Amino acid sequence: MLKKLFKSFRTPLRRNKHSHSTPEVLTSHQHPIKRGQISRYAVSIVERLQNAGYQAYLVGGCVRDLLLDIDPKDFDVATSATPEQVKAEFRNARIIGRRFRLVHVHFGREIIEVATFRANHPQGDEPQNSNQSSRNESGRILRDNVYGNLEDDAQRRDFTINALYYDPVSERILDYANGAHDIRNNLIRLIGDPTQRYQEDPVRMLRAVRFAAKLDFDIEKHTAAPIYTLAPMLGEIPSARLFEEVLKLFLAGYAVFTYDLLVDYGLLEQLFPATAKALRDNPDYTDDLIHNALSNTDLRIQQNKPVTPAFLFAALLWPALPARVLKLQERGMPAIPAMQEAAHDLINEQCQRIAIPKRFTMPIREIWDMQERLPRRSGKRADQLLENPRFRAGYDFLLLRESAGEETNGLGDWWTLYQEASDSERRNMIRDLSSSKDDSAPRKRRRGGNKRKRSPSGEGAGNE
Ligand code: ATP
Ligand code: MG
């Protein structure tokens, strides 16, 4: 409703020019944002900084999202005050970050990020006497702590739609980069020269995809074009930062769209090389399994249910396992150790790219191990498995594999019934197993030509 209202507003458009030194000003009558929609803590920070004589605005995702009638995830403040000056104004403030220093102001559980206006650092313009270069040879910005004025700050932001400044006191929006125009036209557009902006920070390629998926916007063609060739630059990004970015990509509630865009732009190859290979070698199964896992994740997020990253990574990497297990078996290794070793190697390789912390790699292994154990149900085994803290995730994962067409001899249904059964029914189910010799049936995979199934019932993104 508000979105339509804002989108139908006509303000003069400046074509062919996406940055200018005089901002377009939208008064409170020209945009739908109301001061009451903003976190009261964020408003009070802005007021306090302004009263102390600094400039201060709300900026970035919160302004963009409010214009699109989306609930902002958080509220970011930009100010002319330095981190030390901000810290001096608030008792509950901490300076954080090295690559990008900023201040976290804490109000109970809410944290407002306050960043000092930054300027772009022109290439080759390193400060003299500096032994810490702020760029590397390929132009990547290593430290982004050169302060500037408001207009500089707008120019150094990534996308036009992220460079809108809202002053909750005057209720005006300042637009230096035609962001309002791009919001009306559903466009993700980098500010400045796209190639250079990606070279400065290759993570912007992931951010373009993330916002396109979240907002259902198109990536403007000049912003889209360099991604295919520059994607390998993601290899330069520290694996810990990529881990954070990957979580944002897949846990924002739009994982299916995001994944499809990552594949289309050749970015998946950079983040999950083994998965990208599985997608080439065994496209139907890989695509189905990952789509189903991600649509469950999206659904759970919509329903405010918890999602564990371990389940997500387990699903993203699983399709890369069988070929590796087979290779080891061909060298004479028995099935179970082959599976163990393939899992270990795959996770290690993946962690070179994306630093998945141990607290997630352990449960990935356990979910996978569970797949070997779920078929073995005789005697007391079934009951012992039910007691295993990883049972639920393992069972969900089994259903996920089945949803992608994997043939398991009805194992998922068996476990569904077993969980609901009474003690005596359970005893009968176990007895029937030994008579049907169905206990540890080998896994068979249906290859190629699967009917594409989408979205099983909504179970599966790990229930812990
Ligand atoms: P959301 O919080 O909804 O994911 P956001 O736009 O607020 O989206 P943040 O990562 O919180 O994204 O960043 C806040 C703002 O900082 C962005 O809107 C953008 O203006 C700027 N920004 C963030 N990362 C970069 C980057 N890599 N390059 C340039 N500007 C950036
Ligand atoms: Mg934000």
Side-chain angles (χ1 to χ4, degrees):
M1 175 69 180
L2 283 175
K3 178 171 168 177
K4 285 202 193 95
L5 223 153
F6 175 68
K7 286 189 162 242
S8 65
F9 247 97
R10 290 184 185 278
T11 49
L13 303 182
R14 288 168 221 237
R15 290 182 206 287
N16 304 323
K17 193 162 181 234
H18 291 278
S19 64
H20 27 79
S21 51
T22 339
E24 194 163 312
V25 178
L26 300 180
T27 65
S28 61
H29 307 291
Q30 290 171 303
H31 66 76
I33 302 180
K34 298 281 166 276
R35 190 185 149 96
Q37 293 174 283
I38 315 279
S39 144
R40 65 194 169 93
Y41 302 125
V43 174
S44 81
I45 290 176
V46 169
E47 285 174 346
R48 178 94 159 259
L49 288 168
Q50 290 188 359
N51 290 338
Y54 304 109
Q55 288 171 283
Y57 296 90
L58 284 138
V59 67
C62 61
V63 184
R64 173 199 73 214
D65 288 352
L66 286 171
L67 288 176
L68 291 167
D69 200 18
I70 298 172
D71 250 350
K73 206 167 80 225
D74 43 38
F75 292 88
D76 299 323
V77 172
T79 179
S80 59
T82 64
E84 288 72 18
Q85 288 168 331
V86 175
K87 191 168 158 38
E89 288 296 319
F90 303 96
R91 261 188 306 140
N92 43 355
R94 278 184 47 205
I95 299 181
I96 61 147
R98 254 168 60 85
R99 196 183 60 83
F100 193 98
R101 289 178 84 225
L102 47 80
V103 183
H104 272 177
V105 186
H106 293 254
F107 296 91
R109 292 173 65 192
E110 196 173 341
I111 296 176
I112 309 287
E113 272 186 16
V114 184
T116 304
F117 294 152
R118 295 302 198 267
N120 271 320
H121 343 190
Q123 257 158 340
D125 190 19
E126 295 300 341
Q128 283 185 345
N129 305 325
S130 156
N131 55 4
Q132 286 203 317
S133 173
S134 59
R135 285 179 191 265
N136 73 358
E137 345 42 90
S138 50
R140 185 157 67 85
I141 294 179
L142 303 175
R143 278 169 210 82
D144 196 1
N145 291 316
V146 175
Y147 301 133
N149 61 24
L150 171 58
E151 188 201 334
D152 297 329
D153 191 70
Q155 302 311 327
R156 68 89 192 166
R157 288 186 182 266
D158 48 6
F159 304 104
T160 61
I161 59 169
N162 287 348
L164 294 163
Y165 295 77
Y166 175 68
D167 176 359
V169 178
S170 68
E171 299 195 276
R172 296 190 316 171
I173 292 176
L174 304 185
D175 180 4
Y176 286 89
N178 271 358
H181 166 265
D182 287 341
I183 284 189
R184 286 189 203 96
N185 291 280
N186 300 359
L187 284 175
I188 308 290
R189 186 198 310 266
L190 273 169
I191 298 170
D193 174 59
T195 297
Q196 190 192 329
R197 299 309 308 279
Y198 290 134
Q199 283 168 342
E200 286 172 358
D201 184 3
V203 167
R204 289 172 185 154
M205 294 185 267
L206 300 179
R207 291 174 59 85
V209 160
R210 175 154 71 87
F211 295 127
K214 166 174 164 160
L215 307 173
D216 196 15
F217 276 25
D218 292 325
I219 304 178
E220 180 274 334
K221 68 174 194 276
H222 298 97
T223 297
I227 298 181
Y228 308 95
T229 35
L230 297 181
M233 282 193 78
L234 284 172
E236 293 176 23
I237 302 298
S239 55
R241 183 170 178 215
L242 282 187
F243 174 71
E244 297 300 324
E245 290 302 323
V246 164
L247 289 190
K248 288 187 203 165
L249 285 168
F250 290 117
L251 297 180
Y254 310 90
V256 173
F257 289 150
T258 305
Y259 170 79
D260 288 342
L261 288 173
L262 290 173
V263 173
D264 291 349
Y265 281 104
L267 292 164
L268 188 79
E269 179 76 48
Q270 301 303 320
L271 298 175
F272 293 93
T275 310
K277 181 174 183 316
L279 199 55
R280 288 190 295 273
D281 296 346
N282 194 359
D284 288 343
Y285 174 72
T286 305
D287 199 53
D288 281 357
L289 185 116
I290 293 176
H291 268 107
N292 291 345
L294 297 179
S295 62
N296 293 340
T297 305
D298 288 345
L299 193 67
R300 291 182 67 86
I301 288 171
Q302 252 176 46
Q303 297 169 337
N304 279 322
K305 291 187 186 165
V307 172
T308 149
F311 192 92
L312 201 68
F313 285 110
L316 283 163
L317 294 171
W318 175 261
L321 265 182
R324 288 159 180 252
V325 176
L326 203 65
K327 224 185 210 162
L328 293 171
Q329 282 182 294
E330 280 166 4
R331 284 198 233 139
M333 198 181 276
I336 298 216
M339 168 77 178
Q340 301 277 344
E341 186 164 325
H344 178 264
D345 292 350
L346 177 58
I347 291 177
N348 272 359
E349 264 173 56
Q350 183 59 46
C351 286
Q352 309 290 311
R353 294 281 169 128
I354 296 175
I356 309 172
K358 253 223 162 63
R359 67 177 188 282
F360 298 130
T361 57
M362 292 281 287
I364 297 173
R365 291 292 302 268
E366 288 162 4
I367 289 168
W368 288 349
D369 286 347
M370 199 50 101
Q371 305 313 300
E372 295 294 338
R373 297 169 66 183
L374 287 169
R376 299 161 209 282
R377 293 154 285 172
S378 60
K380 291 203 167 64
R381 283 177 177 166
D383 288 329
Q384 285 165 353
L385 280 177
L386 269 187
E387 296 297 314
N388 187 310
R390 213 54 78 188
F391 172 81
R392 181 70 204 190
Y395 163 75
D396 283 344
F397 202 85
L398 170 67
L399 297 186
L400 174 67
R401 289 164 49 210
E402 291 181 347
S403 79
E406 228 180 293
E407 183 50 71
T408 65
N409 244 329
L411 191 59
D413 283 346
W414 190 93
W415 276 109
T416 307
L417 281 175
Y418 195 77
Q419 290 174 78
E420 291 159 1
S422 67
D423 281 351
S424 66
E425 286 168 333
R426 285 183 179 181
R427 277 196 296 278
N428 290 338
M429 286 176 77
I430 302 290
R431 202 185 47 226
D432 291 350
L433 275 182
S434 45
S435 58
S436 70
K437 292 207 169 62
D438 202 21
D439 187 12
S440 55
R443 290 186 299 137
K444 277 192 208 135
R445 179 151 302 151
R446 211 166 70 201
R447 284 186 190 276
N450 291 344
K451 269 196 233 108
R452 289 163 81 87
K453 282 193 233 159
R454 289 272 184 249
S455 294
S457 60
E459 292 167 274
N463 303 287
E464 282 156 275

PDB file of all heavy atoms in Angstrom, residues 374 377 386 391-392 395-396 398-399 402 410-421 426 429 459:
ATOM      1  N   LEU A 374      20.454 -44.637   9.845  1.00  0.00           N
ATOM      2  CA  LEU A 374      18.986 -44.746   9.838  1.00  0.00           C
ATOM      3  C   LEU A 374      18.473 -46.050   9.219  1.00  0.00           C
ATOM      4  O   LEU A 374      17.427 -46.559   9.650  1.00  0.00           O
ATOM      5  CB  LEU A 374      18.347 -43.525   9.151  1.00  0.00           C
ATOM      6  CG  LEU A 374      18.387 -42.233   9.971  1.00  0.00           C
ATOM      7  CD1 LEU A 374      17.979 -41.030   9.119  1.00  0.00           C
ATOM      8  CD2 LEU A 374      17.459 -42.324  11.192  1.00  0.00           C
ATOM      9  N   ARG A 377      18.132 -50.743  11.802  1.00  0.00           N
ATOM     10  CA  ARG A 377      17.122 -50.515  12.840  1.00  0.00           C
ATOM     11  C   ARG A 377      16.877 -51.707  13.747  1.00  0.00           C
ATOM     12  O   ARG A 377      16.045 -51.661  14.627  1.00  0.00           O
ATOM     13  CB  ARG A 377      15.790 -50.152  12.154  1.00  0.00           C
ATOM     14  CG  ARG A 377      15.818 -48.836  11.442  1.00  0.00           C
ATOM     15  CD  ARG A 377      14.797 -48.809  10.309  1.00  0.00           C
ATOM     16  NE  ARG A 377      15.222 -49.585   9.162  1.00  0.00           N
ATOM     17  CZ  ARG A 377      14.461 -49.858   8.102  1.00  0.00           C
ATOM     18  NH1 ARG A 377      13.221 -49.427   8.055  1.00  0.00           N
ATOM     19  NH2 ARG A 377      14.932 -50.568   7.102  1.00  0.00           N
ATOM     20  N   LEU A 386      16.518 -43.030  18.063  1.00  0.00           N
ATOM     21  CA  LEU A 386      15.512 -42.033  18.466  1.00  0.00           C
ATOM     22  C   LEU A 386      16.010 -41.148  19.605  1.00  0.00           C
ATOM     23  O   LEU A 386      15.639 -39.975  19.700  1.00  0.00           O
ATOM     24  CB  LEU A 386      14.239 -42.729  18.942  1.00  0.00           C
ATOM     25  CG  LEU A 386      13.147 -43.029  17.930  1.00  0.00           C
ATOM     26  CD1 LEU A 386      11.925 -43.560  18.664  1.00  0.00           C
ATOM     27  CD2 LEU A 386      12.767 -41.784  17.128  1.00  0.00           C
ATOM     28  N   PHE A 391      18.910 -37.072  15.956  1.00  0.00           N
ATOM     29  CA  PHE A 391      17.932 -37.874  15.203  1.00  0.00           C
ATOM     30  C   PHE A 391      17.037 -37.008  14.322  1.00  0.00           C
ATOM     31  O   PHE A 391      16.865 -37.272  13.142  1.00  0.00           O
ATOM     32  CB  PHE A 391      17.044 -38.720  16.141  1.00  0.00           C
ATOM     33  CG  PHE A 391      15.924 -39.383  15.387  1.00  0.00           C
ATOM     34  CD1 PHE A 391      16.152 -40.550  14.679  1.00  0.00           C
ATOM     35  CD2 PHE A 391      14.660 -38.792  15.319  1.00  0.00           C
ATOM     36  CE1 PHE A 391      15.142 -41.138  13.927  1.00  0.00           C
ATOM     37  CE2 PHE A 391      13.648 -39.368  14.563  1.00  0.00           C
ATOM     38  CZ  PHE A 391      13.892 -40.552  13.871  1.00  0.00           C
ATOM     39  N   ARG A 392      16.488 -35.947  14.914  1.00  0.00           N
ATOM     40  CA  ARG A 392      15.488 -35.151  14.200  1.00  0.00           C
ATOM     41  C   ARG A 392      16.070 -34.548  12.914  1.00  0.00           C
ATOM     42  O   ARG A 392      15.482 -34.611  11.843  1.00  0.00           O
ATOM     43  CB  ARG A 392      14.972 -34.046  15.132  1.00  0.00           C
ATOM     44  CG  ARG A 392      13.923 -33.164  14.547  1.00  0.00           C
ATOM     45  CD  ARG A 392      12.613 -33.911  14.378  1.00  0.00           C
ATOM     46  NE  ARG A 392      11.835 -33.265  13.326  1.00  0.00           N
ATOM     47  CZ  ARG A 392      10.573 -33.550  13.049  1.00  0.00           C
ATOM     48  NH1 ARG A 392       9.929 -34.484  13.714  1.00  0.00           N
ATOM     49  NH2 ARG A 392       9.935 -32.916  12.092  1.00  0.00           N
ATOM     50  N   TYR A 395      16.676 -37.352  10.426  1.00  0.00           N
ATOM     51  CA  TYR A 395      15.407 -37.800   9.835  1.00  0.00           C
ATOM     52  C   TYR A 395      14.907 -36.778   8.812  1.00  0.00           C
ATOM     53  O   TYR A 395      14.527 -37.129   7.687  1.00  0.00           O
ATOM     54  CB  TYR A 395      14.402 -38.004  10.968  1.00  0.00           C
ATOM     55  CG  TYR A 395      12.949 -38.066  10.561  1.00  0.00           C
ATOM     56  CD1 TYR A 395      12.414 -39.197   9.935  1.00  0.00           C
ATOM     57  CD2 TYR A 395      12.089 -36.999  10.840  1.00  0.00           C
ATOM     58  CE1 TYR A 395      11.069 -39.254   9.578  1.00  0.00           C
ATOM     59  CE2 TYR A 395      10.750 -37.043  10.496  1.00  0.00           C
ATOM     60  CZ  TYR A 395      10.241 -38.173   9.860  1.00  0.00           C
ATOM     61  OH  TYR A 395       8.912 -38.216   9.512  1.00  0.00           O
ATOM     62  N   ASP A 396      14.946 -35.505   9.175  1.00  0.00           N
ATOM     63  CA  ASP A 396      14.550 -34.464   8.215  1.00  0.00           C
ATOM     64  C   ASP A 396      15.409 -34.544   6.958  1.00  0.00           C
ATOM     65  O   ASP A 396      14.933 -34.341   5.838  1.00  0.00           O
ATOM     66  CB  ASP A 396      14.719 -33.066   8.838  1.00  0.00           C
ATOM     67  CG  ASP A 396      13.596 -32.740   9.814  1.00  0.00           C
ATOM     68  OD1 ASP A 396      12.562 -33.429   9.792  1.00  0.00           O
ATOM     69  OD2 ASP A 396      13.767 -31.796  10.615  1.00  0.00           O
ATOM     70  N   LEU A 398      16.865 -37.180   5.749  1.00  0.00           N
ATOM     71  CA  LEU A 398      16.444 -38.354   4.979  1.00  0.00           C
ATOM     72  C   LEU A 398      15.235 -37.997   4.104  1.00  0.00           C
ATOM     73  O   LEU A 398      15.176 -38.335   2.915  1.00  0.00           O
ATOM     74  CB  LEU A 398      16.101 -39.490   5.955  1.00  0.00           C
ATOM     75  CG  LEU A 398      15.409 -40.716   5.370  1.00  0.00           C
ATOM     76  CD1 LEU A 398      16.356 -41.466   4.418  1.00  0.00           C
ATOM     77  CD2 LEU A 398      14.949 -41.660   6.494  1.00  0.00           C
ATOM     78  N   LEU A 399      14.258 -37.293   4.705  1.00  0.00           N
ATOM     79  CA  LEU A 399      13.069 -36.901   3.932  1.00  0.00           C
ATOM     80  C   LEU A 399      13.455 -35.979   2.782  1.00  0.00           C
ATOM     81  O   LEU A 399      12.889 -36.051   1.688  1.00  0.00           O
ATOM     82  CB  LEU A 399      12.040 -36.206   4.827  1.00  0.00           C
ATOM     83  CG  LEU A 399      11.441 -37.023   5.970  1.00  0.00           C
ATOM     84  CD1 LEU A 399      10.336 -36.224   6.654  1.00  0.00           C
ATOM     85  CD2 LEU A 399      10.890 -38.362   5.487  1.00  0.00           C
ATOM     86  N   GLU A 402      14.813 -38.031  -0.007  1.00  0.00           N
ATOM     87  CA  GLU A 402      13.712 -38.712  -0.704  1.00  0.00           C
ATOM     88  C   GLU A 402      12.951 -37.722  -1.588  1.00  0.00           C
ATOM     89  O   GLU A 402      12.550 -38.041  -2.697  1.00  0.00           O
ATOM     90  CB  GLU A 402      12.773 -39.367   0.307  1.00  0.00           C
ATOM     91  CG  GLU A 402      13.405 -40.556   1.017  1.00  0.00           C
ATOM     92  CD  GLU A 402      12.450 -41.230   2.007  1.00  0.00           C
ATOM     93  OE1 GLU A 402      11.391 -40.645   2.338  1.00  0.00           O
ATOM     94  OE2 GLU A 402      12.788 -42.348   2.461  1.00  0.00           O
ATOM     95  N   GLY A 410      11.391 -46.814   1.216  1.00  0.00           N
ATOM     96  CA  GLY A 410      10.353 -46.407   2.185  1.00  0.00           C
ATOM     97  C   GLY A 410      10.879 -46.097   3.582  1.00  0.00           C
ATOM     98  O   GLY A 410      10.114 -46.094   4.555  1.00  0.00           O
ATOM     99  N   LEU A 411      12.171 -45.826   3.678  1.00  0.00           N
ATOM    100  CA  LEU A 411      12.773 -45.614   4.995  1.00  0.00           C
ATOM    101  C   LEU A 411      12.183 -44.400   5.723  1.00  0.00           C
ATOM    102  O   LEU A 411      11.949 -44.441   6.936  1.00  0.00           O
ATOM    103  CB  LEU A 411      14.291 -45.444   4.827  1.00  0.00           C
ATOM    104  CG  LEU A 411      15.143 -45.463   6.080  1.00  0.00           C
ATOM    105  CD1 LEU A 411      14.974 -46.774   6.845  1.00  0.00           C
ATOM    106  CD2 LEU A 411      16.625 -45.262   5.709  1.00  0.00           C
ATOM    107  N   GLY A 412      11.924 -43.334   4.992  1.00  0.00           N
ATOM    108  CA  GLY A 412      11.364 -42.124   5.607  1.00  0.00           C
ATOM    109  C   GLY A 412       9.994 -42.419   6.211  1.00  0.00           C
ATOM    110  O   GLY A 412       9.725 -42.072   7.370  1.00  0.00           O
ATOM    111  N   ASP A 413       9.131 -43.101   5.429  1.00  0.00           N
ATOM    112  CA  ASP A 413       7.796 -43.443   5.935  1.00  0.00           C
ATOM    113  C   ASP A 413       7.903 -44.340   7.164  1.00  0.00           C
ATOM    114  O   ASP A 413       7.154 -44.188   8.126  1.00  0.00           O
ATOM    115  CB  ASP A 413       6.986 -44.191   4.857  1.00  0.00           C
ATOM    116  CG  ASP A 413       6.450 -43.238   3.811  1.00  0.00           C
ATOM    117  OD1 ASP A 413       6.472 -42.014   4.076  1.00  0.00           O
ATOM    118  OD2 ASP A 413       6.030 -43.706   2.731  1.00  0.00           O
ATOM    119  N   TRP A 414       8.837 -45.277   7.101  1.00  0.00           N
ATOM    120  CA  TRP A 414       9.009 -46.210   8.233  1.00  0.00           C
ATOM    121  C   TRP A 414       9.309 -45.412   9.508  1.00  0.00           C
ATOM    122  O   TRP A 414       8.674 -45.615  10.538  1.00  0.00           O
ATOM    123  CB  TRP A 414      10.139 -47.208   7.935  1.00  0.00           C
ATOM    124  CG  TRP A 414      10.202 -48.316   8.948  1.00  0.00           C
ATOM    125  CD1 TRP A 414       9.605 -49.538   8.877  1.00  0.00           C
ATOM    126  CD2 TRP A 414      10.903 -48.281  10.212  1.00  0.00           C
ATOM    127  NE1 TRP A 414       9.878 -50.276  10.011  1.00  0.00           N
ATOM    128  CE2 TRP A 414      10.671 -49.530  10.850  1.00  0.00           C
ATOM    129  CE3 TRP A 414      11.690 -47.325  10.859  1.00  0.00           C
ATOM    130  CZ2 TRP A 414      11.199 -49.847  12.098  1.00  0.00           C
ATOM    131  CZ3 TRP A 414      12.221 -47.639  12.108  1.00  0.00           C
ATOM    132  CH2 TRP A 414      11.978 -48.889  12.719  1.00  0.00           C
ATOM    133  N   TRP A 415      10.245 -44.475   9.388  1.00  0.00           N
ATOM    134  CA  TRP A 415      10.609 -43.695  10.576  1.00  0.00           C
ATOM    135  C   TRP A 415       9.478 -42.771  11.027  1.00  0.00           C
ATOM    136  O   TRP A 415       9.294 -42.531  12.221  1.00  0.00           O
ATOM    137  CB  TRP A 415      11.895 -42.887  10.332  1.00  0.00           C
ATOM    138  CG  TRP A 415      13.132 -43.705  10.576  1.00  0.00           C
ATOM    139  CD1 TRP A 415      14.016 -44.170   9.638  1.00  0.00           C
ATOM    140  CD2 TRP A 415      13.622 -44.149  11.838  1.00  0.00           C
ATOM    141  NE1 TRP A 415      15.018 -44.880  10.239  1.00  0.00           N
ATOM    142  CE2 TRP A 415      14.813 -44.883  11.605  1.00  0.00           C
ATOM    143  CE3 TRP A 415      13.183 -44.015  13.162  1.00  0.00           C
ATOM    144  CZ2 TRP A 415      15.555 -45.461  12.627  1.00  0.00           C
ATOM    145  CZ3 TRP A 415      13.923 -44.587  14.177  1.00  0.00           C
ATOM    146  CH2 TRP A 415      15.099 -45.304  13.912  1.00  0.00           C
ATOM    147  N   THR A 416       8.707 -42.281  10.071  1.00  0.00           N
ATOM    148  CA  THR A 416       7.567 -41.439  10.436  1.00  0.00           C
ATOM    149  C   THR A 416       6.597 -42.258  11.281  1.00  0.00           C
ATOM    150  O   THR A 416       6.151 -41.821  12.347  1.00  0.00           O
ATOM    151  CB  THR A 416       6.861 -40.912   9.167  1.00  0.00           C
ATOM    152  OG1 THR A 416       7.848 -40.291   8.338  1.00  0.00           O
ATOM    153  CG2 THR A 416       5.769 -39.921   9.490  1.00  0.00           C
ATOM    154  N   LEU A 417       6.288 -43.493  10.797  1.00  0.00           N
ATOM    155  CA  LEU A 417       5.367 -44.369  11.538  1.00  0.00           C
ATOM    156  C   LEU A 417       5.943 -44.742  12.894  1.00  0.00           C
ATOM    157  O   LEU A 417       5.241 -44.738  13.907  1.00  0.00           O
ATOM    158  CB  LEU A 417       5.123 -45.658  10.731  1.00  0.00           C
ATOM    159  CG  LEU A 417       4.136 -45.556   9.587  1.00  0.00           C
ATOM    160  CD1 LEU A 417       4.088 -46.870   8.818  1.00  0.00           C
ATOM    161  CD2 LEU A 417       2.746 -45.198  10.136  1.00  0.00           C
ATOM    162  N   TYR A 418       7.223 -45.061  12.892  1.00  0.00           N
ATOM    163  CA  TYR A 418       7.855 -45.535  14.127  1.00  0.00           C
ATOM    164  C   TYR A 418       7.763 -44.489  15.234  1.00  0.00           C
ATOM    165  O   TYR A 418       7.517 -44.816  16.399  1.00  0.00           O
ATOM    166  CB  TYR A 418       9.316 -45.904  13.857  1.00  0.00           C
ATOM    167  CG  TYR A 418       9.943 -46.724  14.971  1.00  0.00           C
ATOM    168  CD1 TYR A 418       9.653 -48.081  15.104  1.00  0.00           C
ATOM    169  CD2 TYR A 418      10.807 -46.139  15.886  1.00  0.00           C
ATOM    170  CE1 TYR A 418      10.208 -48.828  16.131  1.00  0.00           C
ATOM    171  CE2 TYR A 418      11.370 -46.883  16.922  1.00  0.00           C
ATOM    172  CZ  TYR A 418      11.067 -48.223  17.047  1.00  0.00           C
ATOM    173  OH  TYR A 418      11.618 -48.956  18.059  1.00  0.00           O
ATOM    174  N   GLN A 419       7.945 -43.244  14.856  1.00  0.00           N
ATOM    175  CA  GLN A 419       7.892 -42.182  15.867  1.00  0.00           C
ATOM    176  C   GLN A 419       6.507 -42.046  16.470  1.00  0.00           C
ATOM    177  O   GLN A 419       6.346 -41.668  17.625  1.00  0.00           O
ATOM    178  CB  GLN A 419       8.312 -40.842  15.257  1.00  0.00           C
ATOM    179  CG  GLN A 419       9.776 -40.790  14.929  1.00  0.00           C
ATOM    180  CD  GLN A 419      10.134 -39.509  14.191  1.00  0.00           C
ATOM    181  OE1 GLN A 419      10.259 -38.460  14.796  1.00  0.00           O
ATOM    182  NE2 GLN A 419      10.277 -39.611  12.887  1.00  0.00           N
ATOM    183  N   GLU A 420       5.483 -42.342  15.638  1.00  0.00           N
ATOM    184  CA  GLU A 420       4.110 -42.173  16.125  1.00  0.00           C
ATOM    185  C   GLU A 420       3.574 -43.428  16.810  1.00  0.00           C
ATOM    186  O   GLU A 420       2.514 -43.396  17.427  1.00  0.00           O
ATOM    187  CB  GLU A 420       3.196 -41.823  14.941  1.00  0.00           C
ATOM    188  CG  GLU A 420       3.483 -40.438  14.383  1.00  0.00           C
ATOM    189  CD  GLU A 420       2.994 -40.260  12.948  1.00  0.00           C
ATOM    190  OE1 GLU A 420       2.402 -41.216  12.387  1.00  0.00           O
ATOM    191  OE2 GLU A 420       3.220 -39.171  12.392  1.00  0.00           O
ATOM    192  N   ALA A 421       4.311 -44.544  16.675  1.00  0.00           N
ATOM    193  CA  ALA A 421       3.773 -45.836  17.117  1.00  0.00           C
ATOM    194  C   ALA A 421       3.855 -46.021  18.634  1.00  0.00           C
ATOM    195  O   ALA A 421       4.679 -45.396  19.301  1.00  0.00           O
ATOM    196  CB  ALA A 421       4.545 -46.958  16.422  1.00  0.00           C
ATOM    197  N   ARG A 426       5.789 -50.643  17.928  1.00  0.00           N
ATOM    198  CA  ARG A 426       7.213 -50.538  17.600  1.00  0.00           C
ATOM    199  C   ARG A 426       7.868 -51.918  17.585  1.00  0.00           C
ATOM    200  O   ARG A 426       8.638 -52.232  16.686  1.00  0.00           O
ATOM    201  CB  ARG A 426       7.930 -49.632  18.601  1.00  0.00           C
ATOM    202  CG  ARG A 426       7.623 -48.164  18.361  1.00  0.00           C
ATOM    203  CD  ARG A 426       8.402 -47.278  19.300  1.00  0.00           C
ATOM    204  NE  ARG A 426       8.075 -45.881  19.006  1.00  0.00           N
ATOM    205  CZ  ARG A 426       8.605 -44.850  19.642  1.00  0.00           C
ATOM    206  NH1 ARG A 426       9.486 -45.043  20.602  1.00  0.00           N
ATOM    207  NH2 ARG A 426       8.252 -43.618  19.306  1.00  0.00           N
ATOM    208  N   MET A 429       7.028 -53.615  14.474  1.00  0.00           N
ATOM    209  CA  MET A 429       7.735 -53.044  13.303  1.00  0.00           C
ATOM    210  C   MET A 429       9.164 -53.588  13.207  1.00  0.00           C
ATOM    211  O   MET A 429       9.649 -53.892  12.131  1.00  0.00           O
ATOM    212  CB  MET A 429       7.766 -51.510  13.372  1.00  0.00           C
ATOM    213  CG  MET A 429       6.417 -50.865  13.063  1.00  0.00           C
ATOM    214  SD  MET A 429       6.454 -49.064  13.264  1.00  0.00           S
ATOM    215  CE  MET A 429       7.308 -48.568  11.764  1.00  0.00           C
ATOM    216  N   GLU A 459       8.816 -29.652   6.284  1.00  0.00           N
ATOM    217  CA  GLU A 459       9.708 -30.119   7.320  1.00  0.00           C
ATOM    218  C   GLU A 459      11.111 -29.979   6.760  1.00  0.00           C
ATOM    219  O   GLU A 459      11.297 -29.761   5.596  1.00  0.00           O
ATOM    220  CB  GLU A 459       9.448 -31.582   7.619  1.00  0.00           C
ATOM    221  CG  GLU A 459       8.097 -31.770   8.266  1.00  0.00           C
ATOM    222  CD  GLU A 459       7.724 -33.231   8.273  1.00  0.00           C
ATOM    223  OE1 GLU A 459       7.178 -33.688   7.272  1.00  0.00           O
ATOM    224  OE2 GLU A 459       7.988 -33.880   9.266  1.00  0.00           O
TER     225      GLU A 459
END
